[in-house]
């Protein structure tokens, strides 16, 4: 097209201007341009041409779509980013030259690989077994408690052979509430009363039961914040929070850094600072998410601290979510204080509607596979919505029956807690002792299932990179999976979370021996 | 003259022809991009849920950020109008913010007749002896006709079945491999076909609802939409819209076509949605359909696959009632279609409900079966939010591995379903109420337009209200299923005993007599 016009434009333009004939030739459509239209046509025509070109490409592609290739789906396409891969696909609004498109979330989720989950996967692919796989990876990265599994097993066998048909489903109504049957709620309220110090009464009408504590956190996040809002979380925090709160609810987590100098206790100044910084960035903070006893450090929130948190939440008009899944797994000198206890003793002055408790049986009763979680809230609106959302994660009937019978056996529960606490205390003591002989110190802890160990002396360089290198050494040389502090968003490098409740007393020497290997490798290389 | 050509300096420099065309084009392209982004921003941030009622809702603090740090308590001092104070999150008396989406979920479910009916029936359930004037539940697509068989099995085998190999601490959250294997063996038996199911393509979830939820999150972003033929299951709104925030674009099917799906309607709905600027990401079909009970034949399924391919969208085939298909027509699973089609399977995802098939709805076991590796990866990771409990899985493994029992169960369950369907439809017919012919599902789709006082949605809801409050039976009105013709109702009969059927009929007769005497 340009070509055919060229002679014409040449003849037209050559007469008025004498200086740069050769130059002029090169402007496309100069005839038109330098005619009347000027600026307008000069820009409009190339644009129009370009537009039709795009249109043509798009059409061509559509017919191509009928025979799509088997390439992997292109990731996100709604924002056609410019400097991007194969040729033309970015010109189209659909950007789906290849396979069918997934949601942005699905893409994020598939790419999300923190060391915590990588470790879990590697350990589950090659698990250690005393006889069948002595060179396998020992799993110390999962907050599981196998110390007292035998007690649970015994109880189940007795229950199974007792002849009492505990699973009899004849009584089950055809329409079951999604948020748990009343019998189980009653049993749980008694159980929680027992676990949380025996001075608090839990009202079943404030309870919503979910398939594990994980969905309980997710559902609460849905209820308390909108997409793009945020929660404040003291670090180091449980690595699972990232997935539970960020993925589907789309709520951001703002770290409030705690440091080793304070034994990782939360400071109100840091909280205030994180809050105002978030506000400055225009982020809407909707709540504080804390775990008590804390995961991974294992220290407790004192009564004063709880009061401070309540005041803070009230002052900023935000929610306070307390994750108390380790409430019954305490072994130390510090006393665990449930936030429910404070609410009960000081009920007049506190606006309970902003306080929500998360509990579950996976830790305290070592029933991880049973998937029983509890949202305990005083907010009627939150409860109403949570009950609706429970349809997506309800507990199946046989499990509800089984757990109801187990929790109603008060004698068993009491024995279990006594034995379990003793065993935990013993293993913790032995393990921390042995670690300190290797020169590894742990933060002071009184609850939870972990030691929070300081291995900063072993890392080089002193940074997240060094920490992950050491973690890799633990994986490949020592064949143990532990959680690096960076997965818990710890601000200081070199801390590791080691779960001690998945090993028995007899296994401690083996684990220590494996850790010694890494320590020696590190020492010799430096 | 020179001045008027844009960028003439550049143009007449070295670049010439090249720059003269590239620069305007690039400018134009960025201009387009800018517009597109702007439009995107307008739509994508959490589609503003209809303004929630004032008390629980608080808009963000209007004061400039940062000032809070300087004077934490100055807010109350500032002279403010009353409305301002109400809006301020700092006002100490106001309750903390509950998210907009939470408020809208609570409100929707409080108003919809489907949920109102379910609640009412749950609060005052009919019992032959204890509560003869209670509400009879016909609104829940659950099958309990053969629950007794499963109970007997559990009774005989003792509770030891639940213990299995004992309790192991850490297990995959997307279901035990043993159970997936058992399901892969069980599904072909239920469908009476020799289809191969690959356990590696399965994700087990706590109920089919969760499976749909997970799929919605995987396939579409906020504000995108799915095509769904209507009438559709009344619970879809909750499954898809509430949490994953995806729009449903209705593809209306009419009584004149016997509520069969037509590709023309599909195409029209797709184009209209596109014109409105909606991004359609997939189509959800239910086979056998809920609430009508229609089967999709091979032709239609192939057409749907072609349609999805042409538009480059996903197909979610909801086959949660697969085992209830009976009658003269053949049930064709999407899996069969794909066995023949090698190409382009990664857009197809299927949902099953093991608890429906086993007649134990409260076990809540769903199966997500997908051909898309990326979807499977994401779904496995999301399974932690709706994982099945270990005892239930153990119990199911034990039940499903008893092949003799499974065989017998499937036979008896099918017979009972068929008999109940025939009885129920015949009795309705005697009352002058016609049902569409159906070949599956736990329900029938009845035309009660003759009983409407006024032909319209209002008349339909008025009849529903009379059925619930006067006759004391809870049925699902067509409007809850987004049926475009008024006067249709869904009756779920699989939770009834034969004795209950006559009570239901007697209660309907009263309403129909009352309506007739009025006119």
């Amino acid at each position: 097209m340009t070509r055919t016009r060229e002679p014409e434009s040449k003849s037209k333009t050559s007469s008025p201007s004498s200086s740069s004939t050769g130059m002029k030739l090169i402007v496309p459509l100069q005839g038109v341009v330098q005619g009347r239209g000027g600026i307008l046509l000069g820009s409009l025509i190339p644009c129009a041409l370009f537009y039709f070109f795009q249109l043509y490409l798009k059409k061509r592609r559509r017919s191509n779509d009928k025979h799509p290739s088997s390439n992997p789906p292109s990731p996100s396409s709604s924002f056609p980013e410019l400097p991007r891969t194969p040729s033309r696909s970015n010109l189209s609004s659909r950007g789906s030259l290849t396979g069918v498109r997934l949601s942005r979330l699905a893409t994020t989720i598939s790419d999300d690989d923190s060391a915590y989950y990588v470790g879990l996967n590697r350990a589950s692919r090659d698990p250690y077994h005393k006889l069948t796989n002595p060179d396998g990876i020992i799993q110390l990265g999962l907050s599981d408690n196998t110390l007292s599994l035998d007690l649970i097993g015994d109880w189940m066998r007795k229950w199974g052979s007792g002849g009492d048909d505990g699973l009899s489903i004849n009584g089950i109504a055809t329409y079951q509430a999604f948020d748990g049957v009343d019998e189980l709620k009653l049993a749980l309220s008694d159980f929680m009363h027992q676990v949380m110090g025996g001075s608090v009464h839990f009202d079943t009408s404030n309870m919503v039961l979910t398939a594990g504590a994980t969905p309980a956190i997710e559902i609460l996040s849905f209820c308390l914040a909108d997409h793009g809002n945020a929660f404040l979380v003291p670090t180091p925090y449980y690595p699972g929070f990232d997935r539970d709160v960020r993925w589907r609810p789309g709520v951001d987590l703002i770290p409030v850094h705690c440091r080793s100098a304070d034994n990782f206790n939360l400071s109100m100044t840091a909280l205030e600072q994180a809050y105002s910084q978030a506000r400055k960035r225009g982020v809407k903070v909707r709540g504080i998410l804390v775990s008590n006893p804390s995961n991974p450090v294992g220290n407790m929130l004192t009564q004063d601290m709880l009061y401070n948190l309540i005041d803070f939440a009230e002052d900023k008009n935000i929610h306070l979510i307390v994750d108390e899944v380790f409430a019954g797994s305490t072994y130390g000198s510090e006393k665990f204080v449930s936030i429910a206890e404070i609410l009960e003793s000081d009920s007049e002055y506190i606006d309970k509607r902003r306080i929500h408790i998360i509990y579950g049986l996976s830790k305290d009763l070592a029933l991880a596979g049973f998937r029983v979680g509890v949202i305990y809230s005083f907010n009627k609106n939150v409860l109403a919505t949570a009950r609706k959302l429970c349809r997506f994660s309800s507990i199946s009937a046989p499990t509800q029956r089984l757990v109801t019978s187990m929790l109603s056996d008060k004698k068993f529960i009491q024995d279990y807690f006594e034995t379990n606490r003793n065993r935990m205390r013993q293993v913790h003591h032995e393990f921390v002792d042995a670690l300190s002989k290797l020169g590894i110190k742990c933060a002071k802890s009184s609850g939870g299932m972990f030691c929070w160990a300081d291995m900063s002396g072993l890392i080089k360089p002193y940074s997240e990179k060094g920490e992950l290198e050491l973690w890799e050494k633990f994986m490949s040389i020592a064949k143990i999976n532990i959680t690096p502090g960076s997965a818990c968003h710890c601000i200081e490098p070199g801390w590791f979370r080691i779960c001690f409740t998945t090993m028995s007393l007899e296994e401690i020497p083996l684990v220590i021996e494996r850790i010694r290997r890494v320590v020696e490798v590190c020492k010799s290389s430096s | 003259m020179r001045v008027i050509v844009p960028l003439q300096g550049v143009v007449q420099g070295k670049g010439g022809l090249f720059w003269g065309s590239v620069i305007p084009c690039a400018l134009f392209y960025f201009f387009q991009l800018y517009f597109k982004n702007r439009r995107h921003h307008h739509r994508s941030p959490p589609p503003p849920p209809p303004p929630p009622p004032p008390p629980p809702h608080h808009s963000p603090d209007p004061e400039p950020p940062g000032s809070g740090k300087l004077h934490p308590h100055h807010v109350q001092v500032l002279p403010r109008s009353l409305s301002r104070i109400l809006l301020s999150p700092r006002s100490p008396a106001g309750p903390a913010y509950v998210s907009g989406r939470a408020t809208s979920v609570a409100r929707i479910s409080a108003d919809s007749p489907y949920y109102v009916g379910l609640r009412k029936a749950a609060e005052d359930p009919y019992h032959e002896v204890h509560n003869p004037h209670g509400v009879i539940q016909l609104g829940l697509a659950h099958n309990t006709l053969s629950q007794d068989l499963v109970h007997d099995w559990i009774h005989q085998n003792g509770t030891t079945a639940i213990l299995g190999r004992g309790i192991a601490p850490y297990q995959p959250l997307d279901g035990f491999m043993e159970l997936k294997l058992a399901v892969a063996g069980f599904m072909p038996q239920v469908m009476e076909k020799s289809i191969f199911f690959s356990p590696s393509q399965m994700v087990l979830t706590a109920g089919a609802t969760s499976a749909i939820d997970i799929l919605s999150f995987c396939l579409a972003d906020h504000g995108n939409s799915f095509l769904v033929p209507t009438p559709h299951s009344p619970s879809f709104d909750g499954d898809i819209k509430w949490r994953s925030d995806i729009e449903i674009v209705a593809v209306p099917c009419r009584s004149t076509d016997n509520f069969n799906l037509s590709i023309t309607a599909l195409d029209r709905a797709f184009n209209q949605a596109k014109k409105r600027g909606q991004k359609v990401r997939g189509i959800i079909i239910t086979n056998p359909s809920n609430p009508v009970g229609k089967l999709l034949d091979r032709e239609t399924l192939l057409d749907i696959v072609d349609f999805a391919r042409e538009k480059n969208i996903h197909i979610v085939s909801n086959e949660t009632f697969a085992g209830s298909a009976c009658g003269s027509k053949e049930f064709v699973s999407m899996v069969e279609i794909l066995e023949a089609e090698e190409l382009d399977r990664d857009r197809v995802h299927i949902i099953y409900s093991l608890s429906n098939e086993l007649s134990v709805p409260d076990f809540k076991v769903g199966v997500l079966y997908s051909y898309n590796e990326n979807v499977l990866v994401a779904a496995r990771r999301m399974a932690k939010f709706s994982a099945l409990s270990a005892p239930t899985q153990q119990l199911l493994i034990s039940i499903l591995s008893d092949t003799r029992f499974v065989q017998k169960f499937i036979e008896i369950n099918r017979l009972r379903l068929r008999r109940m369907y025939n009885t129920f439809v015949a009795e309705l017919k005697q009352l002058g109420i016609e049902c569409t012919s159906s070949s599956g599902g736990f329900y029938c789709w009845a035309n009660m337009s003759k009983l409407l006082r006024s032909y319209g949605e209002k008349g339909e809801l008025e009849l529903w209200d009379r059925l619930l409050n006067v006759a004391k039976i809870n049925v699902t009105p067509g409007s809850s299923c987004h049926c475009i013709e008024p006067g249709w109702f869904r009756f779920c009969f699989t939770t009834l005993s034969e004795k209950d059927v006559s009570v239901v009929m007697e209660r309907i007769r009263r309403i129909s007599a009352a309506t007739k005497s009025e006119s």
Side-chain angles (χ1 to χ4, degrees):
Chain A
M1 202 159 115
T2 335
R3 275 202 167 212
T4 51
R5 291 258 176 116
E6 253 173 23
E8 196 186 349
S9 55
K10 192 178 182 180
S11 60
K12 261 194 184 171
T13 49
S14 55
S15 49
S17 142
S18 54
S19 57
S20 52
T21 326
M23 278 298 197
K24 265 182 212 155
L25 278 181
I26 48 178
V27 181
L29 303 168
Q30 203 169 30
V32 185
V33 167
Q34 301 205 336
R36 263 178 296 167
I39 296 192
L40 184 73
L41 285 177
S43 32
L44 208 59
I45 290 177
C47 287
L49 285 174
F50 182 62
Y51 182 71
F52 283 118
F53 177 65
Q54 280 184 313
L55 212 65
Y56 165 74
L57 282 187
K58 212 189 232 170
K59 277 225 172 114
R60 244 178 59 132
R61 181 114 42 74
R62 211 168 278 171
S63 44
N64 268 357
D65 270 353
K66 287 179 183 171
H67 323 279
S69 61
S70 52
N71 290 349
S74 68
S76 138
S77 71
S78 21
F79 287 94
E81 291 136 292
L82 250 189
R84 238 192 167 195
T85 48
S87 63
R88 295 162 194 166
S89 60
N90 49 32
L91 289 176
S92 135
S93 63
R94 275 165 68 211
S96 43
L97 181 66
T98 53
V100 63
R101 174 194 181 284
L102 298 189
S103 70
R104 255 168 295 179
L105 179 71
T107 320
T108 329
I109 287 180
S110 335
D111 296 343
D112 180 351
D113 270 318
S114 90
Y116 173 61
Y117 291 98
V118 173
L120 292 188
N121 280 340
R122 273 166 70 175
S124 68
R125 268 200 302 273
D126 178 24
Y128 166 81
H129 189 279
K130 211 176 351 182
L131 303 173
T132 51
N133 191 12
D135 291 328
I137 298 176
I138 301 181
Q139 178 65 279
L140 301 175
L142 203 65
S143 51
D144 242 347
N145 182 356
T146 52
L147 293 178
S148 310
L149 262 191
D150 54 326
L151 299 184
I152 306 270
D154 285 347
W155 183 89
M156 298 243 286
R157 261 187 296 282
K158 213 173 75 203
W159 171 78
S161 59
D164 170 37
D165 199 0
L167 269 187
S168 145
I169 325 178
N170 298 324
I172 293 182
T174 48
Y175 176 75
Q176 263 199 320
F178 290 116
D179 63 316
V181 293
D182 286 339
E183 291 86 357
L184 179 54
K185 284 189 184 173
L186 262 173
L188 259 168
S189 102
D190 277 353
F191 177 75
M192 285 165 73
H193 169 78
Q194 208 174 336
V195 169
M196 310 224 179
S199 58
V200 206
H201 168 73
F202 289 91
D203 188 349
T204 51
S205 63
N206 289 345
M207 271 184 192
V208 173
L209 306 189
T210 56
T214 303
I217 295 171
E218 194 194 32
I219 287 175
L220 261 186
S221 312
F222 264 105
C223 293
L224 303 183
D226 282 307
H227 227 270
N229 295 168
F231 290 150
L232 296 173
V233 194
T235 66
Y237 61 79
Y238 161 59
F241 278 164
D242 282 321
R243 292 185 165 192
D244 303 348
V245 178
R246 280 204 167 114
W247 274 3
R248 300 206 294 192
V251 176
D252 209 3
L253 292 176
I254 296 174
V256 181
H257 293 297
C258 305
R259 286 155 203 282
S260 56
D262 314 329
N263 194 35
F264 295 101
N265 282 318
L266 176 61
S267 91
M268 290 313 286
T269 340
L271 198 63
E272 187 82 47
Q273 209 174 355
Y275 179 80
S276 52
Q277 269 170 8
R279 287 284 303 275
K280 248 179 234 162
R281 276 182 290 135
V283 178
K284 280 179 197 143
V285 176
R286 294 294 186 209
I288 318 166
L289 173 60
V290 293
S291 47
N292 183 28
S294 96
N295 174 0
V297 182
N299 49 9
M300 314 254 190
L301 294 174
T302 59
Q303 189 160 348
D304 287 345
M305 181 50 81
L306 287 172
Y307 272 112
N308 286 341
L309 282 173
I310 293 173
D311 287 345
F312 182 82
E314 210 134 293
D315 181 40
K316 311 291 185 213
N317 196 38
I318 55 179
H319 293 272
L320 176 58
I321 307 164
V322 188
D323 175 2
E324 299 189 348
V325 290
F326 291 105
S329 310
T330 54
Y331 49 81
S333 49
E334 278 179 275
K335 191 182 169 293
F336 167 75
V337 185
S338 166
I339 190 121
E341 207 178 310
I342 289 177
L343 292 186
E344 198 157 88
S345 60
D346 247 332
S347 54
E348 288 115 81
Y349 308 106
I350 298 170
D351 179 11
K352 294 180 175 185
R353 286 171 300 180
R354 63 179 82 249
I355 292 165
H356 318 274
I357 300 171
I358 286 171
Y359 190 62
L361 295 182
S362 4
K363 313 295 176 196
D364 286 351
L365 213 46
L367 295 180
F370 280 42
R371 315 295 305 161
V372 179
V374 186
I375 297 174
Y376 191 79
S377 168
F378 296 94
N379 191 316
K380 291 276 165 287
N381 296 328
V382 169
L383 286 170
T385 310
R387 282 201 186 100
K388 304 288 176 229
L389 293 178
C390 269
R391 60 191 291 154
F392 300 117
S393 50
S394 46
I395 315 169
S396 73
T399 308
Q400 297 203 32
R401 315 233 126 224
L402 178 58
V403 174
T404 310
S405 325
M406 188 183 288
L407 295 185
S408 315
D409 189 343
K410 294 262 166 63
K411 169 105 188 12
F412 163 73
I413 296 293
Q414 191 139 25
D415 289 350
Y416 175 85
F417 269 99
E418 238 160 71
T419 318
N420 186 45
R421 189 159 298 168
N422 282 335
R423 290 183 185 173
M424 275 178 79
R425 192 173 288 145
Q426 210 177 351
V427 173
H428 177 258
H429 184 76
E430 290 272 322
F431 189 65
V432 170
D433 230 34
L435 277 183
S436 72
K437 277 181 197 145
L438 289 180
I440 298 170
K441 292 260 174 293
C442 295
K444 193 169 164 291
S445 68
S446 319
M449 301 170 170
F450 327 97
C451 316
W452 183 239
D454 179 9
M455 307 203 190
S456 51
L458 301 179
I459 65 172
K460 209 174 61 172
Y462 182 75
S463 69
E464 189 179 324
K465 189 165 159 271
E467 180 181 295
L468 287 176
E469 272 170 22
L470 180 60
W471 175 74
E472 187 54 50
K473 277 183 199 147
F474 273 112
M475 275 305 236
S476 49
I477 302 174
K479 296 259 186 175
I480 60 174
N481 174 40
I482 54 182
T483 312
S486 56
C488 304
H489 300 263
C490 183
I491 196 170
E492 297 174 23
W495 291 83
F496 283 83
R497 186 185 87 163
I498 308 175
C499 174
F500 61 84
T501 47
T502 43
M503 54 188 152
S504 59
L505 268 178
E506 299 82 65
E507 276 170 341
I508 290 182
L510 172 75
V511 172
I512 292 294
E513 184 45 46
R514 289 188 175 197
I515 294 178
R516 187 199 307 279
R517 265 186 259 162
V518 175
V519 173
E520 274 159 14
V521 167
C522 291
K523 292 246 167 84
S524 65
S525 68
S526 63
Chain B
M1 264 311 185
R2 263 198 221 155
V3 195
I4 47 176
V5 181
L7 302 167
Q8 205 169 28
V10 182
V11 168
Q12 300 203 340
K14 265 183 281 175
L17 186 58
F18 179 68
W19 287 116
S21 30
V22 164
I23 289 178
C25 286
L27 284 174
F28 183 61
Y29 182 71
F30 282 117
F31 180 67
Q32 282 182 315
L33 206 68
Y34 166 73
F35 261 90
K36 210 191 246 165
N37 274 357
R38 246 176 63 127
R39 219 170 349 137
H40 201 89
H41 276 305
H42 267 289
R43 241 177 315 123
S44 79
H57 182 77
H58 281 264
S59 80
D61 195 334
E63 75 179 298
S67 56
K69 192 178 134 201
L70 301 173
H71 332 272
H73 292 291
H74 78 141
V75 183
Q76 278 99 48
V77 188
L78 276 181
R80 286 204 173 171
S81 69
L82 185 66
S83 62
R84 257 295 177 72
I85 289 173
L86 269 176
L87 285 174
S88 155
R90 290 275 176 91
S91 75
Y97 175 93
V98 173
S99 72
R101 47 191 179 193
T103 321
S104 70
V105 166
R107 193 171 37 87
I108 298 166
S109 55
D111 297 343
S112 152
Y114 174 62
Y115 294 103
V116 172
L118 289 185
R119 201 161 49 234
K120 191 132 195 210
E123 278 162 9
D124 179 24
Y126 168 82
H127 189 280
E128 211 183 319
V129 182
H130 302 307
N131 190 13
H133 300 296
V135 179
I136 300 182
Q137 181 65 281
L138 295 164
L140 211 59
H142 280 175
N143 173 16
T144 50
L145 290 178
S146 313
Q147 206 172 39
D148 57 319
L149 298 179
V150 178
H151 291 182
D152 289 349
W153 186 93
I154 294 174
H155 198 77
Q156 276 165 24
N157 290 272
T159 35
T160 36
I162 213 171
L163 303 178
R165 311 153 301 167
I167 31 177
Y170 180 68
Q171 273 132 352
L173 293 171
D174 62 320
F176 298 175
M177 201 53 187
E178 289 102 317
L179 184 54
K180 289 184 186 175
L181 278 167
V183 170
F186 174 70
M187 287 318 295
Q189 264 179 297
V190 164
M191 298 183 199
E192 293 183 299
K193 284 165 184 283
S194 54
I195 317 173
F196 172 72
F197 284 90
S198 155
S200 62
Q201 279 168 251
M202 279 182 199
V203 175
L204 303 182
T205 59
T209 308
S210 322
I212 296 179
D213 184 42
I214 289 177
L215 265 184
S216 316
F217 272 111
C218 286
L219 306 183
D221 291 316
H222 281 259
N224 293 169
S225 45
F226 283 139
L227 294 174
V228 185
T230 61
H232 64 68
S233 157
S235 62
F236 265 1
D237 289 309
D239 298 347
I240 298 165
K241 283 187 192 166
W242 282 1
R243 204 154 73 157
S244 36
D245 201 10
I246 288 160
E247 301 285 319
I248 291 181
V249 175
V251 183
C253 304
R254 288 156 204 280
S255 58
T256 44
D257 306 332
N258 227 345
F259 293 104
N260 282 318
L261 174 63
S262 80
I263 296 294
T264 341
L266 213 55
D267 203 48
R268 198 181 308 132
F270 181 86
N271 289 333
Q272 278 170 358
K274 252 196 129 173
K275 247 178 236 160
R276 282 194 302 267
Q278 278 173 302
K279 280 197 184 123
V280 178
R281 294 291 184 218
I283 164 171
I284 304 182
I285 50 173
T286 309
N287 184 23
S289 80
N290 179 6
V292 185
K294 287 280 169 198
L295 297 179
L296 293 171
D297 55 24
R298 201 174 287 269
E299 285 299 295
T300 317
L301 286 173
L302 282 170
D303 285 346
I304 291 172
V305 172
D306 284 341
F307 176 80
R309 190 170 294 164
E310 189 190 315
K311 310 292 185 201
N312 196 24
I313 56 177
H314 293 272
I315 302 174
V316 177
S317 180
N318 176 11
E319 301 184 3
T320 45
F321 298 101
S324 67
C326 45
S328 49
K329 278 200 188 159
E330 186 205 1
F331 168 74
V332 185
S333 168
M334 207 48 153
V335 181
E336 281 175 83
I337 301 285
L338 293 184
E339 271 179 356
E341 299 260 328
E342 275 303 310
L343 205 72
D344 194 31
R345 302 201 282 195
D346 61 355
R347 64 177 82 248
V348 181
H349 322 277
I350 307 170
I351 291 166
Y352 294 102
S353 165
L354 193 59
S355 34
N356 264 359
E357 308 303 358
L358 275 175
S359 189
V360 278
D362 48 9
F363 275 38
K364 299 198 178 94
V365 187
V367 183
L368 193 166
Y369 191 76
S370 173
Y371 291 85
N372 190 315
E373 203 38 58
N374 296 339
V375 168
L376 284 170
V377 169
R380 274 190 209 114
R381 293 185 170 183
M382 280 195 237
K384 74 179 209 159
F385 301 112
S386 47
L388 269 174
S389 66
T392 304
Q393 298 199 59
Q394 290 294 0
L395 184 60
L396 284 169
I397 293 170
S398 309
I399 294 178
L400 291 181
S401 51
D402 184 347
T403 42
R404 266 237 323 277
F405 167 76
V406 169
Q407 197 63 45
K408 198 184 83 190
F409 172 86
I410 291 174
E411 255 164 55
I412 298 179
N413 184 40
R414 183 159 293 148
L415 274 177
R416 288 184 183 174
L417 260 173
R418 198 71 220 157
R419 198 170 63 221
M420 188 52 107
Y421 172 77
N422 287 337
T423 320
F424 201 86
V425 170
E427 296 245 358
L428 276 180
K429 197 165 185 179
Q430 278 188 356
L431 295 177
I433 297 169
E434 295 281 345
C435 297
T436 48
S437 71
S438 68
S439 334
F442 302 152
Y443 30 71
C444 58
W445 184 237
N447 182 1
M448 299 175 79
S449 52
K450 281 185 216 150
L451 299 180
L452 298 187
R453 281 183 179 149
S454 61
Y455 187 77
E457 193 179 319
K458 212 175 136 218
E460 181 182 289
L461 288 178
E462 188 265 343
L463 176 59
W464 167 79
D465 190 64
R466 271 188 293 157
L467 285 168
L468 181 63
N469 292 314
V470 181
K472 301 258 180 174
I473 58 174
N474 174 40
V475 294
T476 311
S479 55
S480 289
C481 306
H482 300 267
C483 182
I484 50 168
E485 297 173 28
W488 292 85
F489 285 83
R490 184 183 78 164
F491 289 81
C492 300
F493 48 76
T494 47
T495 48
L496 302 177
S497 68
E498 302 221 0
K499 246 189 250 163
D500 296 338
V501 175
S502 48
V503 182
V504 170
M505 293 304 156
E506 185 44 47
R507 291 183 176 191
I508 298 175
R509 192 192 317 278
R510 260 188 278 155
I511 292 293
S512 104
T515 320
K516 276 182 191 139
S517 66
E518 280 165 27
S519 54

